[in-house]
Amino acid sequence: MLPGPAATAQDAARLCARLARLYEDGAGAVVCDAGALTAPDLTAVEVLARLRLTARGRGAFTVSGASPPLRALLHLVGLVELLGEAEEREPAVGVQEGVEPDDLAV
């Protein structure tokens, strides 16, 4: 669980150590509750990014209970996958996915 109402840089080391212990004890997936984080800022995003790095190669890591402001920050910095959502991307301009024999050249 992330501390609230805001996370601090000191929280990162403590939470990363705890997360590492959970994986060492056999956890295959960890869900981090961010419900108490009512004043999210870039420090909270940094804490979540460090947790994601700690989880890399050890197991699944997702965030639940994210408030709309935290969700918006995670979308902004490209960490939306922590919410279990796929990042929406625009299709590349000028790329054609498939070509039919009867298609005219552009």
Side-chain angles (χ1 to χ4, degrees), residues 87-93:
E87 187 173 357
E88 294 179 21
R89 297 180 185 233
E90 293 290 326
V93 177

Side-chain angles (χ1 to χ4, degrees), residues 13-57:
R14 180 180 53 82
L15 292 171
C16 287
R18 182 169 182 217
L19 181 62
R21 280 193 308 273
L22 288 171
Y23 287 122
E24 289 167 6
D25 291 342
V30 175
V31 178
C32 178
D33 182 3
L37 197 60
T38 57
D41 56 11
L42 290 178
T43 301
V45 171
E46 179 184 358
V47 170
L48 288 171
R50 288 176 181 262
L51 287 168
R52 177 179 170 226
L53 288 173
T54 300
R56 183 177 287 169

Side-chain angles (χ1 to χ4, degrees), residues 2-3 5-9 11-12 15-16 32 34 37 39-53 61 63 66-83:
L2 287 178
T8 65
D11 294 325
L15 292 171
C16 287
C32 178
L37 197 60
D41 56 11
L42 290 178
T43 301
V45 171
E46 179 184 358
V47 170
L48 288 171
R50 288 176 181 262
L51 287 168
R52 177 179 170 226
L53 288 173
F61 178 76
V63 175
S67 65
L70 178 58
R71 296 174 78 82
L73 280 172
L74 292 174
H75 276 276
L76 180 68
V77 298
L79 292 174
V80 67
E81 73 273 1
L82 290 177
L83 302 171

